[in-house]
């Protein structure tokens, strides 16, 4: 069978074929010139096209006259470097066509296509099936990232409370860095709830009337992810507060030790200061045993102070 020569012919053929036939165009970080052809062929709204070209959008769903515009944020997490990477995936869904624009390295689309080819019951819903499958794949990816973050958080918690890490200077920095990763994850998962709720409602243009249960399932998974993100954030706050409390206790211990040693050094300093005033008439100044007696007093006083401070746990 001869393939259509351009997008218009392919779209006309898909519409003429019926039976949920549709055209799927996938683009990766296209330039404005590359996207102009797609824009003119499918009649995409200029505001949505601008968002798709420049990226840096939060998850959202926009309804235009000729298409739906859905923004998703796929994420990936590297446990070795404790780094979260987020991309952007825009979907234009219209009458018998889907246009996906991808920014970043995270790419669930290959697995989505393979899945849809194995699930004809889902694929029969046309472009809505692609929108559902991509949303489901990204939310499943969120669940994996949330599990990896929990594993990393357990390791961080062990490091924070281990005796070897009590004096580590970068502990608070590590906690704040991890909190930034969780915040970046929240920016991807939190705003997606509202678009999925809208996709669940009947009557939305370009969405198959039988798709509501599918998007409800994705929304349930996303709710679970958001609950896990909230739990991660609360645990991080608790760990940070515990670390700050540990730092305060360690500082108090150090101050007690410094104060104890300063008190012990104050005794010989005071005695030496008295006998260093060079007055002619001073008690025991011409006594033969004055020097050893003063040394004995100094040593005895210091030993007594050391014993007192040691007993009280200051040393």
């Amino acid at each position: 069978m001869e393939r259509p020569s351009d997008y218009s012919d392919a779209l006309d053929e898909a519409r003429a074929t019926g039976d949920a036939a549709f055209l799927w165009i996938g683009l990766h970080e296209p330039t404005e010139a590359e996207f102009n052809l797609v824009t003119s062929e499918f009649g995409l709204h200029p505001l949505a096209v601008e968002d798709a070209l420049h990226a840096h959008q939060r998850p959202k769903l926009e309804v235009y006259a000729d298409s739906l515009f859905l923004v998703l944020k796929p994420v990936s997490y590297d446990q070795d470097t404790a780094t979260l990477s987020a991309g952007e995936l825009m979907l234009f869904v219209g009458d018998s066509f889907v246009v996906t624009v991808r920014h970043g390295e995270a790419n669930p689309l290959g697995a989505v296509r393979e899945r849809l080819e194995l699930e004809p019951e889902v694929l029969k819903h046309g472009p809505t099936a692609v929108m559902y499958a991509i949303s489901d794949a990204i939310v499943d990816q969120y669940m994996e990232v949330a599990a990896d973050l929990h594993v990393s958080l357990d390791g961080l918690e062990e490091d924070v409370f281990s005796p070897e890490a009590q004096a580590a200077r970068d502990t608070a920095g590590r906690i704040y860095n991890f909190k930034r990763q969780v915040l970046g994850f929240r920016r991807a998962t939190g705003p997606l709830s509202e678009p999925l709720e809208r996709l669940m409602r009947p009557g939305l243009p370009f969405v198959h009337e039988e798709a509501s249960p599918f998007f409800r399932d994705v929304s349930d998974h996303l709710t679970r992810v958001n609950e896990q993100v909230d739990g991660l954030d609360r645990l991080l706050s608790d760990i940070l507060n515990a670390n700050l409390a540990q730092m305060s206790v360690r500082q108090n211990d150090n101050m007690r030790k410094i104060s104890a040693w300063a008190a012990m050094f104050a005794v010989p300093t005071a005695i030496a200061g008295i006998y260093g005033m060079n007055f002619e008439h001073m008690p025991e100044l011409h006594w033969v045993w004055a020097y050893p007696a003063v040394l004995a007093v100094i040593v005895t006083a210091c030993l007594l102070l050391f014993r007192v401070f040691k007993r009280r746990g200051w040393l």
Side-chain angles (χ1 to χ4, degrees):
M1 179 178 178
E2 184 178 354
R3 294 186 177 183
S5 58
D6 57 30
Y7 294 146
S8 296
D9 293 340
L11 184 59
D12 291 340
E13 183 175 323
R15 288 170 175 169
T17 302
D19 297 329
F22 62 92
L23 181 64
W24 183 356
I25 305 296
L27 302 171
H28 178 238
E29 298 182 358
T31 63
E32 186 173 354
E34 293 171 340
F35 206 46
N36 281 338
L37 177 61
V38 177
T39 301
S40 59
E41 292 288 351
F42 295 100
L44 305 180
H45 196 279
L47 292 178
V49 170
E50 182 180 358
D51 290 344
L53 287 174
H54 296 93
H56 303 297
Q57 304 295 316
R58 66 198 303 268
K60 63 179 181 178
L61 176 65
E62 300 287 350
V63 181
Y64 297 104
D66 297 323
S67 63
L68 292 179
F69 179 61
L70 177 64
V71 180
L72 303 169
K73 294 183 76 70
V75 297
S76 60
Y77 180 69
D78 188 348
Q79 284 188 317
D80 295 332
T81 60
T83 303
L84 185 80
S85 301
E88 291 192 32
L89 184 60
M90 289 81 164
L91 288 84
F92 295 87
V93 179
D95 180 19
S96 299
F97 72 86
V98 178
V99 177
T100 56
V101 181
R102 181 167 57 91
H103 293 266
E105 299 302 322
N107 179 22
L109 298 185
V112 167
R113 178 175 177 176
E114 294 176 1
R115 172 186 173 182
L116 286 174
E117 290 175 349
L118 297 175
E119 297 181 355
E121 290 299 318
V122 177
L123 191 59
K124 72 179 183 180
H125 294 101
T128 304
V130 177
M131 186 163 52
Y132 153 71
I134 292 177
S135 302
D136 190 48
I138 289 178
V139 173
D140 287 345
Q141 193 177 51
Y142 290 166
M143 299 179 71
E144 295 176 2
V145 170
D148 291 340
L149 286 172
H150 270 290
V151 172
S152 296
L153 180 60
D154 290 340
L156 177 61
E157 188 175 13
E158 291 178 3
D159 291 342
V160 168
F161 294 105
S162 65
E164 294 80 7
Q166 294 295 317
R169 296 182 178 180
D170 64 336
T171 301
R174 291 177 59 196
I175 297 174
Y176 274 114
N177 180 66
F178 198 91
K179 201 171 182 66
R180 286 174 62 97
Q181 308 304 318
V182 174
L183 179 60
F185 190 35
R186 186 194 293 274
R187 291 195 186 103
T189 64
L192 184 57
S193 298
E194 191 269 339
L196 288 177
E197 289 179 1
R198 293 178 62 188
L199 289 169
M200 290 163 47
R201 301 170 191 162
L204 196 66
F206 309 110
V207 177
H208 198 279
E209 63 273 8
E210 298 178 2
S212 179
F214 296 96
F215 288 110
R216 186 181 301 113
D217 180 68
V218 179
S219 180
D220 290 342
H221 292 171
L222 181 65
T223 299
R224 191 183 312 166
V225 171
N226 285 327
E227 290 174 352
Q228 291 178 325
V229 174
D230 291 339
L232 285 169
D233 190 55
R234 287 194 298 270
L235 283 173
L236 276 171
S237 297
D238 293 341
I239 292 174
L240 180 60
N241 291 333
N243 179 67
L244 294 176
Q246 286 181 333
M247 291 177 59
S248 179
V249 170
R250 288 196 297 269
Q251 289 175 352
N252 290 336
D253 289 340
N254 293 335
M255 288 301 299
R256 283 198 296 265
K257 291 178 181 179
I258 293 172
S259 299
W261 285 110
M264 286 187 290
F265 278 110
V267 172
T269 301
I271 296 175
I274 292 173
Y275 283 92
M277 291 187 290
N278 297 322
F279 292 136
E280 184 176 351
H281 302 288
M282 292 183 66
E284 296 88 25
L285 192 62
H286 300 287
W287 185 35
V288 176
W289 297 100
Y291 182 70
V294 170
L295 290 180
V297 170
I298 291 175
V299 172
T300 302
C302 289
L303 289 175
L304 288 173
L305 287 173
F306 181 83
R307 184 176 179 181
V308 171
F309 290 136
K310 191 72 173 179
R311 184 176 298 174
R312 294 185 177 181
W314 285 36
L315 293 173

